[in-house]
C-alpha cells in the first residue's frame, strides 16, 4: 500500500519510473520532434530542434515524476494499467443480450429518425449507415471462417470482389446480350439485381471452394500468407484482364436495384409515382439501407442457425482441436471447405450489393487494406461473437468518418486501438461463447477456454 | 483355443513402420479378441503409440495389413483408409495420451461433436437442418440421450454444461472415453487412460472399462503403464520391445515370461517391481 511505503523508497521508485518514461519519450520524440524536414533551395534539408526535444523530454520526466509522487503513488505505476488483460467487467459479456435487440430496433428506426431530425445531414447519415452495415455483413461473413472455424483468411476481399464483378458483368454485359439475342425480355433489366444476387453468391462460394481446395492443406501462418496471395491474385487478374473486366477503368453504369421490378426513377412508373409519393432521391438510399440491413440479418440468422447444427459444431471443434476431430470421424477438409464457401458466399452477396450501390466498381475497391479492415473488425469485436462484430464495425467505420479531417492520423489511431485491445482483451471485445446445446442451463464459456484456431 | 484366435476383432499382420532410417515397428503381428480387453504394454519407446497411430490411420504403415471385422462379418482393411474414414466407417475410436478435448466447448458439446456423422445425415447435410426438418430434431434428441447415457456412466452428468477444460484431470480422462463411446465404436483404442489418475480414480476406470466391455460387448485395445490396471482387467496382453513383439498371451502367461522380465529389467526398476510385484500377490 502507498501509505505504508517509506517515503524514501517511494521517491527512488518514482525517479526510476520517470527515467524510464523519459527514455521512451526520447526515443519517440527524437524522430517526431527533434528533426524537421525543410524545403531548401537544392531539395529537402533537415532542421534539428534539440531545444524543443529537450523540453519535451524534460516535461515528460518532470510530469511523470510529480504524478508518481503525488497522484499515482509508485506501488501503482501507470504502466500497470497497460500491462495486462483488463479486469473482468461483469455484465460486458451479457451486453449482447441487451444490446442486440436495442441495436436492431435502432437500425430499423434509423431512416425515420434521420429523415425527421437530420434534414440537411440526412443523405450523409444514411450513406454512412449503409457503409457500416456493409462492413457488419462482411464481418459476419468472415466471422464464420475466422471466428468459428479458426481459419485465418487474409484474402476475404477477393470474394467481395467476385460478388461485385459477378453482378456488374451479369447486368452490364450478360443480360443485355441475352435481351439482344432474344433469350430474355427487356423486363429482365428491372430484375437484374434480384436475379444476379443469388448467382453472385453462388459464384463467390464456387471461388471459395476453388481457392480453398489447395490452400486448406496449409495451417496457421502459412494459410494466412497464401490466402493473402490469392486475394491479391484475384485483384491483379481484375486489373489486367482489360477486355473482360475493364481493367483499371472498372465497370460503370451498373444498374441500380429496383423495388422488386419498380425502378426508383422520376416520372411515370417509378417508385414514387407507383406509391403516390413525391419524388425524392432519398427513396433509393433508404431502400438500399433496408436491403443491406436485411442481407446482413440473413447472414446473422444463417450463422446462428448453423452454429446449432452439426456443421457449426464441427467448425468450432476444428478450431479447438483438428486431430481430435479426425479421430471422431469428421472429414476436416470438407468441413473447412464448407466454412470457406459459406463465408465466401456472404462476401459475394455483400459484393453485389456494393456494386449496385456504387454503380461503378474498379479493382481499387478491393485492395488488401479492405481485407485487413474486415479482419480487424472481427478480431476487435471478438472472434465468433456476432454482436462484437457490430460494435467493432460501428466504432471503426464510424470512427473513420468522424476523424475524416485527421485522415493522416487515422491509421495511427487504428493501430493504437488494435494494440490496446490485444493487451486488454486479447480475445476481442465480446469474447465469451454461448454453447450451442445445453442440458440444464446455458452458461457462457469464458474466453480463457476458447482456442483461436491454428488454421 | 483362445478367444483372440477364434474370433479376432482386429488382426495385425506383418506391420512395419519406418520413419526414415528408424524402424519404430518391426514386422509385428497380433490379434485382438472380440469383446475382450487387449493390453499393449512395453517399455518407453517400444512403439505402442505408433501401433495405435497405424491402427487409427494417423500414420500410413510402411508395410503390413490391419484387418478389422465387424459383428456382421463386414471387414475393413484399415491401412487403406484415411483417419476419419476409419472412425466413421470402420467405427474405430480412440483417445490420446495427452488429452485432446475441445476445451472451449461444453462437456455436452464435446459429446455432440462425436456424433457428427449421424447428425449430419439427419440434417440432410445441413440443408434440411437450416429449415428445421423434424427428422433432425428427433435425431438431436436421440444424440443428447446417448450423450446423457455416457455422461451418467462416467459420472459427469452434473457438469454437462461446463467448459471441458474446467474439469479436473481425472474427469477430463473420463470425458474423453465418453466422447469416444458416443461415436458408437466397434473397437475402442485407449492410449494410457490411467496416466495421472489417483488409485481411487484408477479403480473406477477399471470398472468403467470392464462395464463397457462386458455390457456393451465392445472390444478394447489399451496402452497402459499402470500394471495394476493392466493385470487386473486385461484378457490378453501383447508385449512390445523395440518395435517387435516379445510376448503374447494371458496376463498369467505374460507375467511369467522371462523375456518380458528381461525387457523391463533393462529399463526401469520400478516397472520391474510392478510386474514382479503383481506376480507375488
Amino acid at each position: 500500500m502507498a501509505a505504508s511505503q517509506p517515503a524514501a523508497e517511494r521517491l527512488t521508485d518514482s525517479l526510476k519510473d520517470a527515467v524510464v518514461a523519459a527514455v521512451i519519450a526520447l526515443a519517440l520524440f527524437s524522430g517526431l520532434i527533434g528533426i524537421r524536414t525543410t524545403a531548401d533551395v537544392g531539395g529537402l534539408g533537415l532542421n534539428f530542434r534539440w531545444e524543443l526535444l529537450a523540453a519535451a523530454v524534460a516535461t515528460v520526466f518532470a510530469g511523470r515524476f510529480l504524478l508518481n509522487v503525488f497522484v499515482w503513488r509508485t506501488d501503482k505505476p501507470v504502466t500497470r494499467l497497460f500491462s495486462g488483460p483488463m479486469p473482468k467487467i461483469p455484465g460486458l459479456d451479457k451486453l449482447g443480450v441487451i444490446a442486440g435487440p436495442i441495436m436492431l430496433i435502432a437500425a430499423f428506426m434509423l431512416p425515420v429518425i434521420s429523415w425527421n431530425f437530420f434534414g440537411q445531414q440526412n443523405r450523409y447519415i444514411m450513406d454512412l449507415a449503409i457503409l457500416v452495415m456493409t462492413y457488419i455483413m462482411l464481418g459476419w461473413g468472415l466471422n464464420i471462417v475466422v471466428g468459428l472455424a479458426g481459419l485465418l483468411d487474409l484474402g476475404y476481399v477477393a470474394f467481395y470482389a467476385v460478388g461485385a464483378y459477378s453482378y456488374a458483368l451479369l447486368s452490364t454485359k450478360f443480360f443485355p446480350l441475352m435481351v439482344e439475342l432474344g433469350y430474355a425480355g427487356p423486363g429482365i433489366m428491372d430484375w437484374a439485381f434480384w436475379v444476379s444476387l443469388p448467382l453472385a453468391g453462388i459464384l463467390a462460394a464456387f471461388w471459395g471452394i476453388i481457392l480453398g481446395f489447395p490452400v486448406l492443406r496449409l495451417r496457421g501462418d502459412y494459410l494466412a500468407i497464401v490466402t493473402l496471395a490469392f486475394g491479391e491474385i484475384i485483384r491483379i487478374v481484375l486489373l489486367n484482364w482489360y477486355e473482360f473486366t475493364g481493367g483499371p477503368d472498372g465497370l460503370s453504369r451498373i444498374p441500380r436495384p429496383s423495388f422488386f421490378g419498380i425502378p426508383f426513377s422520376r416520372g411515370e412508373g417509378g417508385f414514387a409515382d407507383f406509391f403516390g409519393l413525391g419524388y425524392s432521391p432519398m427513396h433509393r438510399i433508404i431502400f438500399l439501407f433496408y436491403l443491406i440491413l436485411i442481407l446482413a440479418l440473413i447472414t446473422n440468422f444463417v450463422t446462428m442457425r448453423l452454429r446449432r447444427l452439426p456443421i457449426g459444431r464441427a467448425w468450432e471443434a476444428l478450431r479447438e482441436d483438428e486431430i481430435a476431430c479426425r479421430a471422431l470421424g469428421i472429414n476436416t477438409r470438407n468441413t473447412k471447405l464448407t466454412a470457406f464457401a459459406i463465408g465466401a458466399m456472404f462476401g459475394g452477396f455483400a459484393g453485389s450489393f456494393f456494386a449496385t450501390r456504387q454503380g461503378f466498381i474498379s479493382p481499387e475497391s478491393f485492395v488488401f487494406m479492405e481485407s485487413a479492415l474486415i479482419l480487424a473488425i472481427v478480431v476487435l469485436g471478438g472472434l465468433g461473437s456476432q454482436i462484437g462484430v457490430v460494435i467493432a464495425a460501428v466504432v471503426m467505420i464510424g470512427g473513420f468518418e468522424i476523424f475524416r479531417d485527421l485522415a493522416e492520423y487515422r491509421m495511427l489511431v487504428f493501430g493504437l486501438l488494435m494494440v490496446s485491445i490485444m493487451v486488454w482483451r486479447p480475445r476481442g471485445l465480446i469474447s465469451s461463447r454461448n454453447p450451442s446445446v445445453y442440458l440444464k442451463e446455458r452458461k457462457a464459456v469464458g474466453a480463457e477456454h476458447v482456442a483461436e484456431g491454428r488454421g | 483355443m483362445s478367444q483372440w484366435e477364434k474370433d479376432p476383432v482386429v488382426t495385425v499382420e506383418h506391420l512395419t513402420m519406418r520413419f526414415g532410417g528408424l524402424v519404430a515397428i518391426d514386422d509385428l503381428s497380433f490379434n485382438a479378441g472380440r469383446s475382450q480387453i487387449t493390453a499393449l504394454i512395453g517399455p518407453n519407446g517400444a512403439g505402442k503409440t505408433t501401433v495405435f497411430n497405424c491402427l487409427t490411420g494417423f500414420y500410413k504403415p510402411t508395410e503390413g495389413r490391419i484387418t478389422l471385422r465387424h459383428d456382421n462379418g463386414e471387414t475393413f482393411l484399415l491401412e487403406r483408409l484415411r483417419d476419419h474414414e476409419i472412425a466413421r466407417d470402420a467405427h474405430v475410436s480412440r483417445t490420446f495420451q495427452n488429452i485432446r478435448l475441445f476445451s472451449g466447448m461444453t462437456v455436452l458439446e464435446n459429446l455432440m461433436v462425436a456424433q457428427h456423422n449421424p447428425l449430419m445425415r439427419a440434417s440432410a447435410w445441413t440443408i434440411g437442418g437450416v429449415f428445421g426438418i423434424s427428422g433432425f430434431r428427433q435425431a438431436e434428441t436421440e444424440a443428447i440421450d446417448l450423450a446423457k447415457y455416457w455422461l451418467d456412466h462416467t459420472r459427469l452428468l452434473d457438469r454437462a454444461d461446463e467448459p471441458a477444460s474446467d474439469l479436473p484431470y481425472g474427469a477430463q480422462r473420463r470425458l474423453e472415453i465418453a466422447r469416444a463411446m458416443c461415436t458408437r465404436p466397434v473397437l475402442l483404442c485407449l492410449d494410457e487412460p490411467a496416466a495421472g489418475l489417483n488409485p481411487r480414480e484408477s479403480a473406477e476406470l477399471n470398472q468403467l472399462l470392464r462395464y463397457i466391455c462386458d455390457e456393451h460387448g465392445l472390444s478394447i485395445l489399451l496402452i497402459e503403464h499402470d500394471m495394476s490396471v493392466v493385470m487386473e482387467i486385461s484378457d490378453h496382453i501383447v508385449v512390445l520391445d523395440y518395435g517387435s513383439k516379445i510376448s503374447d498371451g494371458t496376463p498369467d502367461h505374460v507375467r511369467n515370461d522371462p523375456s518380458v522380465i528381461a525387457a523391463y529389467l533393462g529399463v526401469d526398476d520400478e516397472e520391474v517391481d510392478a510386474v514382479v510385484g503383481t506376480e507375488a500377490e
Side-chain angles (χ1 to χ4, degrees):
Chain A
M1 289 305 293
S4 62
Q5 203 180 16
E9 197 179 304
R10 188 200 294 174
L11 217 60
T12 51
D13 281 358
S14 303
L15 210 59
K16 266 190 225 158
D17 191 49
V19 169
V20 172
V23 169
I24 295 172
L26 181 67
L28 281 175
F29 292 158
S30 49
L32 293 172
I33 298 179
I35 306 170
R36 186 193 173 91
T37 51
T38 51
D40 287 348
V41 187
L44 272 180
L46 288 179
N47 188 6
F48 298 96
R49 302 187 295 180
W50 301 124
E51 322 76 40
L52 212 58
L53 176 63
V57 172
T59 313
V60 168
F61 175 77
R64 182 63 176 245
F65 179 69
L66 293 175
L67 279 173
N68 269 339
V69 172
F70 297 112
V71 186
W72 286 320
R73 315 294 186 199
T74 42
D75 62 328
K76 215 178 149 198
V78 247
T79 43
R80 182 164 306 170
L81 252 178
F82 306 93
S83 64
M86 233 192 316
K88 246 197 174 134
I89 303 172
L92 185 65
D93 287 335
K94 290 206 179 77
L95 191 69
V97 185
I98 318 149
I102 291 177
M103 283 201 276
L104 185 63
I105 292 167
F108 271 104
M109 296 296 290
L110 185 72
V112 180
I113 297 167
S114 171
W115 182 280
N116 289 320
F117 297 102
F118 288 97
Q120 288 295 311
Q121 294 261 289
N122 188 9
R123 171 74 194 249
Y124 171 70
I125 286 186
M126 289 316 295
D127 274 338
L128 181 57
I130 290 172
L131 190 67
V132 171
M133 283 311 299
T134 313
Y135 278 99
I136 290 176
M137 179 167 177
L138 286 169
W140 277 341
L142 185 62
N143 210 357
I144 295 174
V145 184
V146 180
L148 292 184
L151 305 165
L152 185 52
D153 181 0
L154 291 179
Y156 190 62
V157 80
F159 307 122
Y160 190 39
V162 168
Y165 271 87
S166 302
Y167 171 57
L169 289 168
L170 283 170
S171 61
T172 59
K173 304 223 165 129
F174 184 69
F175 291 153
L177 185 73
M178 295 288 277
V179 173
E180 202 177 306
L181 293 177
Y183 290 119
I188 195 171
M189 291 315 294
D190 286 337
W191 286 89
F193 178 72
W194 298 103
V195 178
S196 305
L197 186 68
L199 288 177
I202 290 168
L203 281 168
F206 172 71
W207 276 100
I209 290 171
I210 288 192
L211 296 192
F213 208 75
V215 163
L216 290 176
R217 293 164 187 278
L218 303 170
R219 308 184 57 178
D221 304 346
Y222 304 100
L223 175 75
I225 297 289
V226 177
T227 51
L228 189 155
F230 269 116
E232 286 298 283
I233 288 171
I234 294 237
R235 186 178 65 85
I236 289 167
V237 168
L238 292 176
L239 196 59
N240 287 288
W241 195 356
Y242 192 83
E243 304 76 38
F244 189 58
T245 64
D249 301 344
L251 291 163
S252 52
R253 275 178 302 188
I254 299 166
R256 300 300 194 155
S258 58
F259 185 80
F260 304 100
I262 307 166
F264 287 91
S265 56
R266 197 188 286 273
E268 197 89 357
F271 175 81
D273 178 53
F274 189 85
F275 287 95
L277 304 165
Y279 174 78
S280 160
M282 280 308 290
H283 289 160
R284 182 167 66 216
I285 305 291
I286 291 172
F287 172 70
L288 280 173
F289 175 77
Y290 279 119
L291 179 61
I292 186 67
L293 182 61
I294 300 291
L295 284 175
L297 287 176
I298 289 173
T299 311
N300 182 36
F301 174 77
V302 171
T303 311
M304 300 301 270
R305 192 90 207 203
L306 289 177
R307 266 203 67 205
R308 279 162 180 69
L309 288 173
I311 186 77
R313 274 190 218 118
W315 288 340
E316 292 202 81
L318 207 59
R319 178 192 68 204
E320 300 287 332
D321 194 326
E322 184 176 341
I323 290 179
C325 279
R326 277 158 43 195
L328 294 173
I330 296 174
N331 186 335
T332 51
R333 190 196 58 207
N334 289 359
T335 309
K336 282 180 183 178
L337 273 180
T338 52
F340 225 62
I342 291 175
M345 182 180 77
F346 289 121
F349 288 149
S352 64
F353 172 81
F354 176 77
T356 193
R357 178 176 98 103
Q358 297 284 336
F360 166 77
I361 53 168
S362 76
E364 251 173 69
S365 310
F366 308 106
V367 289
F368 169 67
M369 195 51 221
E370 292 293 308
S371 285
L373 187 58
I374 303 164
L375 186 66
I377 286 172
V378 174
V379 172
L380 290 182
L383 293 171
S385 159
Q386 298 293 87
I387 201 83
V389 166
V390 176
I391 295 170
V394 170
V395 170
M396 299 263 299
I397 308 299
F400 274 16
E401 276 304 311
I402 291 168
F403 294 109
R404 187 166 272 276
D405 298 338
L406 307 167
E408 58 264 52
Y409 297 109
R410 261 187 352 196
M411 293 318 284
L412 192 70
V413 175
F414 177 44
L416 211 63
L417 207 66
M418 282 296 252
V419 171
S420 349
I421 278 282
M422 287 303 112
V423 172
W424 286 331
R425 295 187 72 84
R427 300 280 327 185
L429 203 57
I430 311 266
S431 44
S432 65
R433 74 173 276 279
N434 253 329
S436 61
V437 61
Y438 62 97
L439 275 189
K440 289 185 206 75
E441 55 168 332
R442 192 185 290 281
K443 288 188 235 171
V445 178
E448 64 276 18
H449 300 297
V450 184
E452 292 91 354
R454 305 184 43 79
Chain B
M1 202 159 109
S2 49
Q3 163 77 3
W4 59 88
E5 281 157 0
K6 243 175 8 216
D7 182 16
V9 66
V10 67
T11 309
V12 174
E13 290 162 285
H14 305 292
L15 182 70
T16 300
M17 183 77 214
R18 287 191 206 98
F19 298 102
L22 179 83
V23 184
I25 309 171
D26 190 10
D27 196 24
L28 173 71
S29 303
F30 71 90
N31 285 349
R34 189 177 306 284
S35 307
Q36 280 196 321
I37 298 182
T38 308
L40 209 55
I41 64 170
N44 289 328
K48 304 178 297 282
T49 300
T50 311
V51 173
F52 262 40
N53 283 338
C54 289
L55 261 168
T56 50
F58 282 81
Y59 292 157
K60 275 264 159 294
T62 321
E63 285 166 27
R65 189 162 70 166
I66 307 169
T67 319
L68 182 91
R69 290 178 200 81
H70 281 187
D71 293 338
N72 58 13
E74 209 180 341
T75 59
F76 296 86
L77 293 176
L78 299 187
E79 82 281 359
R80 294 187 186 175
L81 298 177
R82 292 174 49 205
D83 42 19
H84 71 268
E85 292 167 338
I86 290 179
R88 185 186 63 195
D89 304 329
H91 288 281
V92 176
S93 192
R94 73 170 291 180
T95 66
F96 295 87
Q97 200 170 349
N98 44 344
I99 307 172
R100 283 186 174 276
L101 291 171
F102 305 123
S103 51
M105 304 175 88
T106 65
V107 169
L108 181 62
E109 282 181 303
N110 267 273
L111 301 192
M112 296 299 278
V113 172
Q115 303 179 59
H116 176 77
N117 288 313
L119 284 174
M120 251 340 230
R121 265 192 301 280
S123 74
W125 283 270
T126 306
I127 297 154
V130 173
F131 298 105
I133 52 173
S134 63
F136 173 68
R137 252 172 278 152
Q138 203 202 327
E140 193 167 57
T141 318
E142 281 166 18
I144 292 176
D145 285 342
L146 181 67
K148 266 156 106 175
Y149 176 83
W150 285 112
L151 285 177
D152 194 21
H153 282 274
T154 47
R155 295 193 303 103
L156 290 169
L157 201 51
D158 296 338
R159 315 199 65 167
D161 296 326
E162 285 174 36
S165 54
D166 252 4
L167 298 180
Y169 190 80
Q172 292 195 10
R173 285 254 175 236
R174 292 203 303 275
L175 175 57
E176 215 188 6
I177 294 173
R179 188 178 68 181
M181 288 311 297
C182 279
T183 64
R184 299 177 188 273
V186 169
L187 175 68
L188 178 63
C189 300
L190 302 172
D191 198 344
E192 298 201 24
L197 299 188
N198 63 34
R200 192 176 52 81
E201 289 173 322
S202 192
E204 247 176 49
L205 177 77
N206 287 357
Q207 266 179 16
L208 175 66
L209 295 186
R210 266 313 351 158
Y211 171 81
I212 289 173
C213 182
D214 297 339
E215 300 299 315
H216 290 266
L218 203 77
S219 320
I220 297 179
L221 194 61
L222 179 78
I223 293 179
E224 192 48 72
H225 278 298
D226 187 337
M227 287 302 156
S228 68
V229 175
V230 171
M231 293 295 165
E232 194 183 317
I233 64 170
S234 310
D235 301 300
H236 173 200
I237 297 179
V238 177
V239 190
L240 294 187
D241 195 19
Y242 295 109
S244 314
K245 186 166 82 174
I246 56 172
S247 185
D248 183 344
T250 60
D252 275 329
H253 169 80
V254 166
R255 87 165 56 124
N256 296 319
D257 191 332
S259 58
V260 176
I261 298 171
Y264 273 87
L265 263 175
V267 178
D268 194 326
D269 292 340
E270 212 179 313
E271 282 169 294
V272 176
D273 283 344
V275 177
V276 178
T278 36
E279 187 187 0
E281 274 169 20

